[in-house]
Amino acid sequence: MNDKKKENIKKAVAFFAGLSLLVYIGYQIYAISYNPYVTEIAYVYSTGNIIDAQAVVIRDESYISNSTPGTVVPIASDGKRVAKDDDVAIIFADEAGAENYNRILKVQEEIEYYQVLSNKSDVGTIDAALLDEEIKKNFDQCLDIIDKGNFEDFAESAREVASSITSRQIAIGDTIDFDAKLTELSNELATLKSAKSNYNTISAPVSGYYISVTDGYETVADYDSVSSLKPSDVEKIFDAKASVPANAMGKIVGRFDWYIVCNVPTDSTLDLAVDETIKVKFPNSSVGEVTAVIDSINKGDDGTSTVILRANEMSEDITHLRFEEVQIVKNEYTGYRVSNDAIRDVDGNMGVYVLSGNRISFRKIKILYSTEEYSIVEKISPEEMSGYLKIYDEIIIKGKDLYDGKVIG
């Protein structure tokens, strides 16, 4: 065999060896990366007939006027029901007087707080495990308040967390000297009260709900004519400029009912009916949601209609609503979101196959609502959960030869 032939043989062997190596590496990569099952995770989802809109809140509001100069300190909380001539605020002649008054309120709160803790220290042994649960619950509530942006309730929530932690310290035998702290606070309170401050009181001109702040849109619409507002009227409200009278020291909401007014596509109102009770969500507010009645639906000329919703719930957070994003919710469904490709009928039972480790299992479902792409299935209670889909189950959307109990791998 000549040298040229030998060289060609060597090249051929090297080529096939290299090709074999590439095929082997490619197969290994494929074997590692290939997954014959396409899956999704079961999670909680809400949907249904939901109309998103920009809304304005209209109340029966009248200004509290007072020309006395000074620093105003509210003494009634926002959303509190007051009678005519009830004191709702104090005007101090100078800022120092207002600061002194606010400090008195703060010290009185602290005294009450430490008195409660002191009483707990006199109680017998408390289960530390139960207190651990209380700490976790209070802490979760505190985080929830922060998440919703409800900072007005944060201080009270943080105080509850601190109180539950202190209670646990007492339960495990820690000694805390409350008497010294209470004496210190009592002495400070006496000093604060001895300081003389000049002030005048502000009274409610009429009965209603007190609100300490004004935004200049209190009279942007006629309360008695809200039900007749048309799309063009609502646009004018959104374009209006805020204007607060110079002597306004807060306001009174005179009547229980208040309105949520918004323009929406006329087609989206086809499933709504006047006098129907419906849920309205405020996704960007700590209010969360309220129950309202559809007061009227007024059709415009450009494919837009005005929906007026009437509510009567009242709280401090609700008093601060004005221009808000809202969701008008009808027939809301909440459950696990499941792709329709995953749903199968097995022996007359609707369900899905789930992947748990290397085993495939069949989970039954109860469908609440369906679209072309997915379904919302009922969240089954823990007592009935056996055999049903659970949250975070890994649902198989695509795969071959599926059956309950199959072991893969």
Side-chain angles (χ1 to χ4, degrees), residues 31-49:
I32 293 172
S33 62
Y34 172 67
N35 185 348
Y37 304 104
V38 178
T39 64
E40 67 182 7
I41 301 300
Y43 63 93
V44 177
Y45 185 78
S46 294
T47 190
N49 186 357

Side-chain angles (χ1 to χ4, degrees), residues 131 162 164-176:
L131 290 171
S164 55
I165 291 173
T166 302
S167 296
R168 192 186 189 286
Q169 288 180 280
I170 295 170
I172 62 176
D174 286 358
T175 302
I176 302 174

Side-chain angles (χ1 to χ4, degrees), residues 169-328:
Q169 288 180 280
I170 295 170
I172 62 176
D174 286 358
T175 302
I176 302 174
D177 188 358
F178 294 108
D179 290 338
K181 186 63 178 178
L182 285 168
T183 299
E184 176 190 339
L185 290 170
S186 296
N187 290 337
E188 181 182 0
L189 182 62
T191 301
L192 291 168
K193 286 185 172 181
S194 66
K196 300 297 181 181
S197 299
N198 294 322
Y199 64 86
N200 293 294
T201 57
I202 299 176
S203 302
V206 294
S207 298
Y209 296 106
Y210 171 68
I211 304 177
S212 62
V213 295
T214 59
D215 59 17
Y217 293 99
E218 284 77 11
T219 58
V220 75
D222 179 12
Y223 177 86
D224 292 317
S225 302
V226 171
S227 298
S228 62
L229 289 173
K230 297 288 185 67
S232 58
D233 301 320
V234 177
E235 290 300 325
K236 290 177 183 178
I237 293 175
F238 276 97
D239 292 338
K241 303 297 182 183
S243 178
V244 180
N247 296 330
M249 299 287 184
K251 59 194 176 189
I252 296 292
V253 177
R255 280 177 271 189
F256 288 99
D257 290 339
W258 52 277
Y259 296 91
I260 304 160
V261 181
C262 56
N263 286 344
V264 301
T266 298
D267 290 347
S268 68
T269 67
L270 298 179
D271 290 334
L272 303 180
V274 173
D275 293 331
E276 177 182 9
T277 299
I278 207 160
K279 183 160 54 178
V280 182
K281 292 186 176 183
F282 296 86
N284 297 330
S285 168
S286 56
V287 170
E289 64 183 47
V290 299
T291 299
V293 174
I294 299 177
D295 181 85
S296 53
I297 302 173
N298 302 325
K299 188 176 180 180
D301 299 326
D302 58 352
T304 301
S305 292
T306 297
V307 177
I308 297 103
L309 304 123
R310 185 177 67 254
N312 55 28
E313 297 178 37
M314 186 57 69
S315 69
E316 184 171 357
D317 293 325
I318 288 174
T319 65
H320 298 159
L321 297 174
R322 182 65 76 191
F323 295 102
E324 305 290 337
E325 288 186 20
V326 299
Q327 294 176 330
I328 302 171

Side-chain angles (χ1 to χ4, degrees), residues 18-35:
L19 182 62
S20 298
L21 181 60
L22 287 173
V23 170
Y24 175 78
I25 292 173
Y27 174 77
Q28 293 300 318
I29 293 173
Y30 171 79
I32 293 172
S33 62
Y34 172 67
N35 185 348

